[in-house]
Amino acid sequence: MKLNTLITIICIASFSLPVLAYEKKHEEHEAPHTNLSDAAIENAKLTLATASAQSIRVKQTIFGVIAPNNNNIVHIGAKYKGIVTSLKANIGDAIKAGQTLAVVENVTTGTAFEVISPISGEVTARFTNVGEVVEQKPLFEVLDPSSVWVELSAFPENIESLEEEQTTYVYDLHHHKTVEGTVSYISPQMTGGHIARALIELPNQSGHWRPGMHVKADVVTDSFNASLAINNDAVQRLEDNPVVFIKEGNRFEAREVELGRTDGEYTEVLSGIENGESYVVENSYLIKADILKQGAGHSH
């Protein structure tokens, strides 16, 4: 072999090895992805969204129980010592303000007087019977159920972010109904169980919210405009890192994202994707499964 030819071969080999090494290194660091046909995309029923700014309302979920509104409870008694001669209302009766609940005969004068309800509502207790001598004690309890309280059991980590006048969304444990209210009171004291009481006043014209009913409340503790946010359903995990699948034509790339605050529906994105990029929301787990099947990554 001629000397010139040998030198040429050595030079080509010396140049090619770094190039091949670079290409291999580039491939090793390529983001996990998969390519799907139009038919596969349609069959997977993927839904897409565009990464964009979003108003986010951060919430805390706290458990509670419905209680009577103390401002809507009255205990009604006789003005003078007397004998109950007639009862005009019983437990469970719906009554109007000014309605007669009982008739009592004054033991001193012998004249009869009426026991009148000062509010409209429902008779929730009766403490007397016909023939009893009564004096300075309640004969009836009447509750106006048009508004009630939610007594929340707030732990120390809840109390730090709770404030009066915060908006809340209260829902029963069967998710039959949701109603909006506001935090009206936060107790300055903790109980022995390190729980503080917080109150929410709720409208209750329908009567759905009955005292004793257990509920949950989502309290809005923060509200801000995120410059970039994504739907929570879009987030999957690869190698224990949160990822979102970005669509570029028929190519779906797993993009690792750094996430911020969330309201349970949308989450703030701090880095990883750009405003305006198209990402998979519903059925994103199918993209993850296809990538894992190809050996492009694994999750824990």
Side-chain angles (χ1 to χ4, degrees), residues 30-109:
E30 188 175 15
H33 68 277
T34 186
N35 293 286
L36 300 179
S37 66
D38 292 339
I41 294 173
E42 184 177 354
N43 290 336
K45 293 182 171 56
L46 305 178
T47 62
L48 302 173
T50 301
S52 61
Q54 181 71 37
S55 176
I56 290 182
R57 308 179 83 190
V58 180
K59 306 181 187 76
Q60 281 200 36
T61 299
I62 306 175
F63 291 88
V65 63
I66 300 295
N69 183 335
N70 283 353
N71 298 319
N72 292 353
I73 300 176
V74 294
H75 291 90
I76 305 162
K79 294 183 291 185
Y80 310 104
K81 181 178 180 180
I83 301 172
V84 178
T85 59
S86 177
L87 293 172
K88 305 294 185 181
N90 208 343
I91 294 174
D93 288 351
I95 60 171
K96 300 291 185 181
Q99 184 172 328
T100 299
L101 305 183
V103 177
V104 178
E105 182 181 299
N106 190 314
V107 295
T108 302
T109 64

Side-chain angles (χ1 to χ4, degrees), residues 235-295:
V235 181
Q236 296 291 333
R237 300 193 77 83
L238 282 176
E239 298 184 348
D240 209 27
N241 296 315
V243 298
V244 172
F245 299 110
I246 302 299
K247 181 180 185 296
E248 296 177 349
N250 290 71
R251 185 178 190 272
F252 295 85
E253 178 184 307
R255 195 81 61 77
E256 187 176 331
V257 289
E258 182 184 359
L259 302 176
R261 292 166 288 180
T262 182
D263 63 4
E265 184 179 1
Y266 287 91
T267 297
E268 177 185 24
V269 178
L270 304 178
S271 66
I273 62 175
E274 300 294 331
N275 203 305
E277 288 192 294
S278 180
Y279 66 95
V280 181
V281 181
E282 290 186 26
N283 295 333
S284 59
Y285 68 93
L286 296 175
I287 304 296
K288 173 183 175 179
D290 198 61
I291 289 176
L292 292 177
K293 183 175 65 176
Q294 297 177 35

Side-chain angles (χ1 to χ4, degrees), residues 140-162:
F140 297 90
E141 178 186 81
V142 174
L143 169 67
D144 174 7
S146 61
S147 70
V148 293
W149 283 347
V150 180
E151 293 188 345
L152 299 179
S153 298
F155 292 94
E157 60 268 26
N158 305 128
I159 287 295
E160 291 180 2
S161 58
L162 290 186

Side-chain angles (χ1 to χ4, degrees), residues 182-202:
T182 57
V183 177
S184 58
Y185 172 76
I186 300 172
S187 173
Q189 295 180 322
M190 307 290 284
T191 67
H194 301 290
I195 297 173
R197 187 177 67 149
L199 295 181
I200 301 169
E201 186 169 344
L202 294 184

